[in-house]
């Protein structure tokens, strides 16, 4: 398939985890990708690897907590390619030491958490919409989380900001649909990215697996496939939706393991 032939795609957080898998998937289908990442070294190395395989990619430093960096990313992309067809707002995360439960969380961390997970997505979308509109259309895919749908004992700021991403997706889709711009989101469950493997021990991973309807946990390429679908013309009549990619983690009652 060459669903992204002659398409220019920006992917934030593109040098690792879900972002890297999405980049691989997009370039395998003919897309040209801006690899935007906070780690210059990882972005450069990843871009070199893909370029050696024949892909058309550009690495660029990107800090999701700085609105100035968002503007610089769009300027860089337009200078390099002169168009933007797809924006994948993938970057996100939290500091578990500061983002705890509502009683103990660090309120001084609020701005940073919301900049990282919500403000960045909102501002990049705001910047690309006029460009996409002038081109005759475009596509935005936001990476949310099941934490924006369900709750946990910690990660309160992360969950609240990802809930914001989910509703922002509906607003963007509603306000730009007549400009031929679609906007959808993906809400992953536990995905076995390097970060998850480093931060969640095997016991915790087994708890998640026990609640999944599938006999396996998700891999980054599973989410990448969903992002690629939503970003392609295969999903041309889908907008404002959040696709939950969690192996069925959130579809059932807690008594399921008693059966």
């Amino acid at each position: 398939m060459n669903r992204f032939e002659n398409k220019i795609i920006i992917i934030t957080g593109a040098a690792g985890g879900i972002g890297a898998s999405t980049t691989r998937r997009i370039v395998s289908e003919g897309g040209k990708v801006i690899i935007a990442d906070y780690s210059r070294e990882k972005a450069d190395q990843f871009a070199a690897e893909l370029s050696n395989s024949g892909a058309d990619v550009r690495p660029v430093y990107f800090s999701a907590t700085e609105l100035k960096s968002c503007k610089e990313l769009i300027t860089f992309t337009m200078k390099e390619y002169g168009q933007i067809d797809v924006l994948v707002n993938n970057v996100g995360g939290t500091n578990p030491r500061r983002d705890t439960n509502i009683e103990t969380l660090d309120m001084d961390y609020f701005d940073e958490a919301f900049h990282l997970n919500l403000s960045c997505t909102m501002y990049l979308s705001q910047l690309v919409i006029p460009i996409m509109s002038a081109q005759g259309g475009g596509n935005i895919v936001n990476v949310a989380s099941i934490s924006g749908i369900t709750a946990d004992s910690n990660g309160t700021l992360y969950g609240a900001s990802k809930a914001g991403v989910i509703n922002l997706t509906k607003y963007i889709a509603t306000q730009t649909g007549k400009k031929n711009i679609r906007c959808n989101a993906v809400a992953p469950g536990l995905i076995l990215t390097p970060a998850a493997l480093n931060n969640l021990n095997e016991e915790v991973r087994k708890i998640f697996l026990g609640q999944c309807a599938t006999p396996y946990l998700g891999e980054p390429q599973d989410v990448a496939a969903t992002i690629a679908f939503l970003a392609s013309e295969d999903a041309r009549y889908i907008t404002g939706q959040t696709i939950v990619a969690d192996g069925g983690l959130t579809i059932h009652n807690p008594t399921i393991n008693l059966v």
Side-chain angles (χ1 to χ4, degrees):
M1 293 188 293
N2 285 304
R3 294 184 294 183
F4 300 103
E5 189 172 7
N6 299 319
K7 301 289 187 182
I8 309 303
I9 297 93
I10 295 174
I11 302 176
T12 63
I18 291 170
S21 288
T22 303
T23 301
R24 292 184 189 279
R25 180 63 183 256
I26 295 292
V27 299
S28 75
E29 297 192 34
K32 301 174 183 180
V33 176
I34 298 292
I35 299 173
D37 203 277
Y38 187 75
S39 172
R40 295 176 189 270
E41 183 179 1
K42 286 175 62 178
D44 288 344
Q45 290 175 349
F46 190 36
E49 174 199 333
L50 294 175
S51 295
N52 289 337
S53 300
D56 189 340
V57 297
R58 301 285 191 280
V60 61
Y61 168 78
F62 175 68
S63 173
T65 58
E66 301 173 23
L67 295 184
K68 178 184 176 183
S69 189
C70 293
K71 195 167 185 177
E72 290 172 346
L73 172 58
I74 301 306
T75 300
F76 174 83
T77 305
M78 292 302 291
K79 181 179 178 182
E80 290 292 309
Y81 291 111
Q83 69 186 69
I84 301 171
D85 300 290
V86 178
L87 167 64
V88 179
N89 286 308
N90 166 68
V91 72
T94 194
N95 181 340
R97 291 187 299 275
R98 302 179 72 184
D99 185 9
T100 56
N101 63 60
I102 187 64
E103 294 182 274
T104 62
L105 67 81
D106 182 357
M107 283 302 298
D108 288 335
Y109 183 57
F110 180 94
D111 284 348
E112 184 176 341
F114 271 72
H115 267 290
L116 178 63
N117 294 303
L118 182 56
S119 297
C120 167
T121 294
M122 186 177 290
Y123 191 43
L124 281 178
S125 299
Q126 183 185 67
L127 292 171
V128 301
I129 285 167
I131 296 168
M132 292 178 174
S133 180
Q135 294 170 176
N139 205 318
I140 299 170
V141 181
N142 299 324
V143 178
S145 169
I146 60 167
S147 295
I149 302 170
T150 62
D152 206 340
S153 57
N154 290 294
T156 309
L157 293 172
Y158 180 75
S161 57
K162 287 297 187 179
V165 170
I166 290 170
N167 212 41
L168 174 65
T169 298
K170 297 177 184 179
Y171 269 81
I172 294 172
T174 299
Q175 295 170 2
T176 65
K178 298 302 183 184
K179 297 178 181 180
N180 197 31
I181 298 172
R182 293 189 298 109
C183 182
N184 291 287
V186 181
L190 176 58
I191 305 298
L192 297 178
T193 61
L197 292 171
N198 289 335
N199 291 300
L200 298 178
N201 60 43
E202 187 175 355
E203 182 179 350
V204 173
R205 297 198 297 269
K206 284 181 177 179
I207 292 172
F208 275 88
L209 180 58
Q211 293 294 320
C212 284
T214 57
Y216 46 80
L217 292 171
E219 300 284 349
Q221 56 265 32
D222 297 318
V223 182
T226 306
I227 293 171
F229 165 69
L230 290 173
S232 76
E233 284 302 297
D234 287 341
R236 65 182 294 272
Y237 203 50
I238 301 174
T239 194
Q241 304 302 308
T242 296
I243 306 299
V244 177
D246 69 350
L249 180 70
T250 57
I251 63 173
H252 54 74
N253 291 325
T255 55
I256 186 66
N257 286 337
L258 298 178
V259 177

